[in-house]
Amino acid sequence: MVENIHLAFEGIWSHKLRSVLTMLGIIIGIAAIITIVSTIKGTNEQIKENLIGAGNNVVTIELNQNGNQYDLSWNPLPDQVRVITEDTRKELEQIPGAEQASLYYKRSYSDGLFFRDTAFNGNLIGVDQNYFSVYGMQVRSGRGFTEKDYSQYRKVALVDSTAAESLFNGVDPVGQCLEFGTEVFTVVGIIGPREEFTPTINSFNDYYLYANDGSGTVYFPSSVWPTLYQFDEPQSAAIKVRNTDVMASVGKDAADLLTSSQIIGTDTGFDYRSADMLEQAQQLQNMSKSTNTQLVWIASISLLVGGIGVMNIMLVSVTERTSEIGLKKALGAKKKRILLQFLTEAAVLTSIGGVIGVLTGVGLAELISRVMQIPVAISAPAILIAVVFSTLIGVIFGLLPATQAANLNPIDALRRV
Amino acid sequence: MRILKLTDICKDYMQGKEPVRVLKNINLEVEQGDYIAIMGPSGSGKSTLMNIIGCLDVPTSGEYELNGNNLRNLKDDDLADMRNKYIGFVFQSFYLMPKMEAVDNVALPLLYADVPLKERRQRAEEALKAVGLEERIHFLPNQMSGGQCQRVAIARAMVTKPALLLADEPTGALDTKSGKQVMDIFDDLSDSGMTILMITHDPDIARRAKKVYHILDGELLTNQEGGTGRE
Ligand SMILES: Nc1ncnc2c1ncn2[C@@H]1O[C@H](COP(=O)(O)OP(=O)(O)O)[C@@H](O)[C@H]1O
Ligand SMILES: [Mg+2]
């Protein structure tokens, strides 16, 4: 075998230009695959990192009607749905993998909240005392909601930094008043994520996933929510889970629990469903995967063409070395030996092509990440598979020429000098 | 001891669509230590006969026994084994591996006999010494004269200690002087007990053999003349 590899290198070296041209198909195919795989992996890792970085081990469970989110901004109060009780909230926390559950009211479209003459058109959320802990948020200035705010129905509010900007226009929000109809709420603080986290946004998809809408959110204690809207609104639930892996299962269990405990009667069309970020991320990943799968197919075709090129050159090589093969057979070399010699040569040829392809692919991926600001993660298994695969191509496409060589008739072969 | 026995060997070649009988009922026996020359005009079937004896080709019909083995129905790889074990070949045009040093060329048949590397080298060097090329061990074929190349080829043929040494016009491509040198080696080999079967159409060379056969139009003539040997 060592001798065969030595022979193979000699053969390849003695036809440098031809060998390089032959390898080109393999090099291009492997380089393309490595580049694509590295980019996919990079993108996926970024999506994951953004999710974890955002502290988003949180599943939300919302009321749906006939499969669509039931938004009270423009839907009437559903009388078949109960208000979620504290006991049920505690039950949610008992779900395996769940750590803390919060109940909240939400309007994604707000009509009638003003600071001076400016109307606010972001989210309004009525939060219980667990909410900020579940989402890993903390007070950035002023103060948060206290026990007394809840028990004494104080008309207070918190704003996030986006709302602080969009609504207050440079004025420090803390201590300012917000008007909602005839009611006046005092802003007591600004709230935000525990650590300032800015997700990397490279594409529109990322933008939709990570970017908050431009207006931000204003938070109220849940106890004063009926002052803003009406009594007995069904809440949504947010559950912090132990890790991203259990998100889906906790979400499903919680949704089932709420559906069975909150909905009155059957065939109402109402149910609770979970919407976790991971699922959205998964969809994104699948989308980028499917486009990339097409690219991998194209690369595979290039490998196929490369393989055929190798077969062609090996056939030429067998013809050229007919007398050498004839002599070896005349001196007693068996078929297997000749077969192995040519298979090794083909495999060495494509393996070198594979290695050059991997290096080119890694270089290309780095280049892409620099120039286009796309994250790239080089995958070690992909590299290994690529090299093994290119060796395999050599073996497969070398089989025909090698068999031809092995089956040469020694006298015919010798005579052709 | 009998090395070789051919009984009614025939060989047909397809020429166009017609089979043409190139060898017609050849009967031949070779004993241990024989030194035989086969003569005949060009196209008479000498090389064809040599290829069959050397297990490079198979006869169309007839029986072939080599060193006690009947060669009928042998597969390609078995024939390769036979060639490797029992036959040493010397061709008219040397057939050396152009990119291999003399010693590696000589060691090649030992590789196919699975002899370990060290022993291969040692035996190859000894064989080269025996043909007077101890100074040229690491030379490439294109660095040697035709006569030297043919001596490398002889070393390669005898390195496996074959039962039968076959030579197809071994001096055909050489000038008279190196031809004589090569023939001296064959004579020496014969003296040391090697069984040799040689094709030539040079009567001077045939005269060195102990037996001379003639082949004409594919028929081996029975009236053998005793070679006169060396004078
Ligand atoms: N492979 C072959 N196919 C067809 N005819 C062949 C083949 N080999 C040899 N012959 C024919 O067989 C005859 C004998 O050839 P050969 O044994 O080479 O003669 P010699 O060696 O005595 O000159 C010639 O007529 C030649 O044309
Ligand atoms: Mg001939």
Side-chain angles (χ1 to χ4, degrees), chain A residues 100-379:
Chain A
Q100 194 180 13
S102 158
L103 303 176
Y104 63 93
Y105 305 100
K106 183 172 181 177
R107 285 286 192 286
S108 56
Y109 170 78
S110 61
D111 201 7
L113 185 71
F114 286 89
F115 171 66
R116 297 181 188 156
D117 290 335
T118 318
F120 177 66
N121 46 24
N123 295 311
L124 301 186
I125 299 181
V127 300
D128 68 4
Q129 294 181 64
N130 298 311
Y131 188 88
F132 295 124
S133 146
V134 163
Y135 274 99
M137 294 166 94
Q138 65 176 197
V139 175
R140 308 213 142 252
S141 84
R143 66 170 180 87
F145 293 149
T146 61
E147 196 81 48
K148 280 191 174 163
D149 288 336
Y150 285 92
S151 58
Q152 297 178 6
Y153 304 94
R154 286 184 185 160
K155 290 174 185 150
V156 288
L158 290 168
V159 295
D160 66 7
S161 54
T162 317
E165 253 171 56
S166 72
L167 192 56
F168 293 92
N169 222 345
V171 183
D172 179 8
V174 179
Q176 301 296 332
C177 290
L178 294 173
E179 290 171 37
F180 190 86
T182 58
E183 308 283 350
V184 177
F185 291 81
T186 310
V187 177
V188 294
I190 299 177
I191 195 143
R194 190 165 290 133
E195 280 161 36
E196 201 51 71
F197 170 77
T198 328
T200 321
I201 293 175
N202 291 316
S203 66
F204 283 114
N205 286 333
D206 289 354
Y207 177 78
Y208 289 128
L209 184 57
Y210 304 119
N212 302 314
D213 52 59
S215 304
T217 306
V218 177
Y219 300 92
F220 303 94
S222 54
S223 57
V224 299
W225 192 260
T227 320
L228 290 157
Y229 295 103
Q230 46 210 336
F231 288 93
D232 297 338
E233 273 188 18
Q235 312 98 311
S236 298
I239 304 173
K240 186 176 161 202
V241 297
R242 202 183 321 111
N243 55 48
T244 40
D245 295 339
V246 297
M247 274 181 132
S249 71
V250 172
K252 194 180 174 308
D253 290 354
D256 289 349
L257 191 149
L258 291 180
T259 302
S260 65
S261 66
Q262 303 308 120
I263 313 292
I264 306 163
T266 50
D267 296 327
T268 55
F270 284 110
D271 63 356
Y272 278 89
R273 295 190 182 185
S274 70
D276 63 71
M277 291 280 271
L278 199 66
E279 199 175 307
Q280 295 175 45
Q282 211 105 52
Q283 280 169 8
L284 253 185
Q285 288 178 349
N286 288 344
M287 215 158 65
S288 72
K289 244 184 212 154
S290 69
T291 39
N292 284 319
T293 309
Q294 292 165 0
L295 290 175
V296 168
W297 271 109
I298 294 170
S300 307
I301 291 172
S302 152
L303 281 180
L304 182 74
V305 173
I308 293 171
V310 169
M311 178 152 76
N312 189 30
I313 274 309
M314 290 309 294
L315 284 171
V316 171
S317 172
V318 169
T319 311
E320 276 179 357
R321 282 188 274 170
T322 298
S323 64
E324 171 196 320
I325 298 163
L327 176 63
K328 286 183 171 177
K329 294 194 86 172
L331 295 179
K334 291 193 181 147
K335 284 183 181 183
K336 199 175 131 198
R337 187 179 289 271
I338 307 287
L339 189 85
L340 269 180
Q341 184 198 329
F342 281 89
L343 274 188
T344 311
E345 183 165 332
V348 167
L349 189 70
T350 54
S351 301
I352 296 175
V355 170
I356 297 177
V358 164
L359 295 179
T360 314
V362 169
L364 223 60
E366 290 292 339
L367 196 73
I368 287 176
S369 98
R370 296 254 166 86
V371 174
M372 296 172 68
Q373 303 285 316
I374 287 176
V376 160
I378 308 299
S379 140

Side-chain angles (χ1 to χ4, degrees), chain A residues 411-412 415, chain B residues 11-16 20-23 40-51 57 168-169 199 201 215 218:
Chain A
I411 18 170
D412 289 347
R415 199 172 285 142
Chain B
K11 179 70 186 177
D12 294 349
Y13 276 127
M14 296 303 286
Q15 272 171 1
V20 173
R21 183 141 293 192
V22 177
L23 293 179
S42 194
S44 55
K46 304 184 295 293
S47 294
T48 306
L49 178 62
M50 195 62 109
N51 289 338
D57 206 352
D168 191 344
E169 307 203 31
I199 286 175
H201 44 225
I215 191 167

